[in-house]
């Protein structure tokens, strides 16, 4: 980069930061979502000084989005208590005492957790019930940025399409996410430090190693996002089991409500014919037979090596939907 280009970049960056600080956050965000919330939309990046209510689909404490190909995700973080990143980080440093002596760098991090893997397996046992609750399962993606420019900010933003290289897993998940699946977003600040008290001997290196520790604030902003519908015509369909089959012998005495984009469309009958349990992997193998409400057969589909009966039903359901669509029995 030439000196002229570098100077221009610095000037533009400083101008952007100065404009951000000199403006006031539109209080419409706080009135709608509260300090400590995250304003989430797919339409466009939420402006700092202008709140547009029509950008957000928010009800019952959750944001609702559409999954599918080429969808985006925008977040505006509204820091807890209306305090700046600097105020939150200073409080963290005071509370962590001697740890600050080995501080290496300061950061802002955003972590994304999803409720299901792409195959449909549920990843959580309990969804966070309050702002202080942290998910107990692994995140699907993480964004980390330099703390220094944002020290005086009480809000910042994130746009998924601007971070594509770092979020391939989340982007892939969004392409396949089914109605009812959820994302939990956690926004924190903090610092990294050398942790000599956690020193260990590395046999491969034949020397003692001092690990790097991340010291986070409590969550500064959180949000739950739920997939409401999908642009994938197959994934627009979902189900609710009303009655499980009495036995696993193939009799179609179970029934489920079939929904499209969350609205009731029809009903299916279904039965399970159990095949065997793999004693080594502890995975199940069985047939699921589906029928239309009038008793007409849709077909039987094999659930191979699944961890639960519920997972097998979920996986074969989309095969049954595909058959019904090809027969033009659904619309």
């Amino acid at each position: 980069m030439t000196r002229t280009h570098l100077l221009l970049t610095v000037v533009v960056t400083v101008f952007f930061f100065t404009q951000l600080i000199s403006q006031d956050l539109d209080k419409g965000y706080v009135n709608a979502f509260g300090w400590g919330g995250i304003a989430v939309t797919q339409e466009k990046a939420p402006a700092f000084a202008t709140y547009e209510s029509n950008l957000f689909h928010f009800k019952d404490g959750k944001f609702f989005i559409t999954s599918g190909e080429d969808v985006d995700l925008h977040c505006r973080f509204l820091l807890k208590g209306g305090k700046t990143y600097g105020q939150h980080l200073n409080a963290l440093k005071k509370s962590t005492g001697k740890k600050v002596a080995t501080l290496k760098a300061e950061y802002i991090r955003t972590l994304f957790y999803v409720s299901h893997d792409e195959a449909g397996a549920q990843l959580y046992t309990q969804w966070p019930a309050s702002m202080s609750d942290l998910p107990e399962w692994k995140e699907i993606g993480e964004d980390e940025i330099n703390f220094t420019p944002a020290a005086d900010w009480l809000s910042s933003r994130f746009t998924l399409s601007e971070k594509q290289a770092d979020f391939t897993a989340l982007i892939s998940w969004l392409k396949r996410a089914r109605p009812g699946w959820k994302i939990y977003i956690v926004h924190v600040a903090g610092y990294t430090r050398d942790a000599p008290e956690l020193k260990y001997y590395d046999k491969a290196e034949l020397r003692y190693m001092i690990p790097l520790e991340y010291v986070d604030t409590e969550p500064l902003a959180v949000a739950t996002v739920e997939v409401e519908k999908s642009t994938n015509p197959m994934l627009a369909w979902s189900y609710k089991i009303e009655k499980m089959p009495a036995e696993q012998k193939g009799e179609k005495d179970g029934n489920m409500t079939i929904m499209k984009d969350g609205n009731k469309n029809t009903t299916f009958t279904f039965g399970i014919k159990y095949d065997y349990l793999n004693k080594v992997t502890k995975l199940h193998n069985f047939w699921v037979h589906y029928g239309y409400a009038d008793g007409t057969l849709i077909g039987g589909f094999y659930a191979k090596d699944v961890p639960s009966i519920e997972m097998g039903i979920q996986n074969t359901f989309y095969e049954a939907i595909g058959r019904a669509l090809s027969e033009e029995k659904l619309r």
Side-chain angles (χ1 to χ4, degrees):
M1 180 181 290
T2 66
R3 181 175 298 180
T4 301
H5 287 161
L6 178 61
L7 178 61
L8 179 60
T9 301
V10 171
V11 170
V12 170
T13 303
V14 170
F15 175 77
F16 172 75
F17 291 159
T18 303
Q19 286 295 103
L20 183 61
I21 293 169
S22 65
Q23 294 175 330
D24 289 327
L25 176 71
D26 190 321
K27 291 303 187 288
Y29 287 110
V30 182
N31 295 335
F33 313 122
W35 290 116
I38 304 174
V40 183
T41 177
Q42 292 184 293
E43 301 300 321
K44 64 178 183 179
F48 180 79
T50 306
Y51 169 67
E52 299 175 74
S53 61
N54 61 300
L55 296 182
F56 307 98
H57 185 184
F58 182 74
K59 61 181 179 181
D60 301 326
K62 297 180 289 188
F63 293 89
F64 289 85
I65 63 170
T66 298
S67 62
E69 295 283 345
D70 301 319
V71 297
D72 209 347
L73 203 64
H74 306 275
C75 303
R76 174 154 294 284
F77 309 107
L78 312 169
L79 302 193
K80 183 179 178 181
K83 297 180 180 179
T84 65
Y85 286 107
Q87 290 172 310
H88 284 292
L89 187 61
N90 287 338
L92 175 67
K93 290 177 179 178
K94 289 180 181 178
S95 69
T96 49
K98 295 181 180 179
K99 286 189 173 185
V100 181
T102 56
L103 183 151
K104 293 181 70 68
E106 299 167 339
Y107 58 79
I108 296 168
R109 288 201 298 165
T110 308
L111 301 99
F112 295 80
Y113 301 82
V114 293
S115 61
H116 297 73
D117 66 20
E118 287 190 22
Q122 184 171 298
L123 300 175
Y124 70 97
T125 53
Q126 184 173 354
W127 199 256
S130 69
M131 189 172 179
S132 60
D133 291 344
L134 287 172
E136 296 179 355
W137 65 100
K138 183 173 175 55
E139 73 276 2
I140 195 172
E142 174 188 320
D143 181 50
E144 183 173 319
I145 63 173
N146 184 14
F147 176 88
T148 303
D152 293 328
W153 300 359
L154 46 76
S155 177
S156 66
R157 71 168 181 86
F158 168 89
T159 290
L160 181 61
S161 59
E162 295 175 354
K163 307 277 185 156
Q164 291 187 51
D166 299 322
F167 282 89
T168 55
L170 179 57
I171 291 169
S172 177
W173 185 90
L174 280 167
K175 291 179 181 179
R176 296 165 175 79
R178 305 169 188 172
W181 291 11
K182 295 181 289 187
I183 304 172
Y184 193 73
I185 307 172
V186 180
H187 189 64
V188 300
Y191 62 88
T192 55
R193 59 177 291 267
D194 288 327
E197 72 277 12
L198 301 176
K199 181 174 67 174
Y200 65 95
Y201 188 76
D202 189 316
K203 293 181 180 180
E205 294 285 334
L206 299 178
R207 63 189 178 96
Y208 283 97
M209 307 289 286
I210 296 177
L212 187 70
E213 181 185 14
Y214 277 77
V215 184
D216 288 346
T217 62
E218 292 185 349
L220 303 182
V222 300
T224 294
V225 181
E226 183 171 317
V227 175
E228 183 177 43
K229 56 185 178 180
S230 173
T231 59
N232 182 328
M234 188 72 74
L235 298 185
W237 297 91
S238 59
Y239 66 90
K240 177 182 178 184
I241 294 176
E242 305 295 347
K243 178 187 175 185
M244 285 290 289
E247 298 183 69
Q248 297 179 357
K249 296 182 178 180
E251 295 295 326
K252 295 193 295 298
D253 56 345
N255 62 74
M256 56 174 63
T257 298
I258 307 303
M259 295 169 285
K260 184 178 182 182
D261 293 332
N263 300 310
K264 181 177 179 179
N265 182 278
T266 186
T267 59
F268 283 176
T269 61
F270 73 104
I272 296 169
K273 187 173 183 180
Y274 199 82
D275 192 1
Y276 71 97
L277 173 68
N278 187 314
K279 293 181 180 180
V280 176
T281 63
K282 306 301 181 185
L283 298 176
H284 302 273
N285 295 268
F286 55 92
W287 289 89
V288 185
H289 298 277
Y290 292 90
Y292 298 109
D294 62 6
T296 307
L297 178 67
I298 298 173
F301 306 93
Y302 197 64
K304 181 177 175 59
D305 292 334
V306 293
S308 66
I309 298 297
E310 292 76 10
M311 180 62 63
I313 294 171
Q314 188 174 88
N315 290 348
T316 57
F317 168 75
Y318 286 97
E319 293 184 79
I321 288 293
R323 178 75 59 81
L325 288 171
S326 69
E327 295 175 348
E328 299 184 347
K329 294 293 184 69
L330 294 178
R331 62 178 62 185

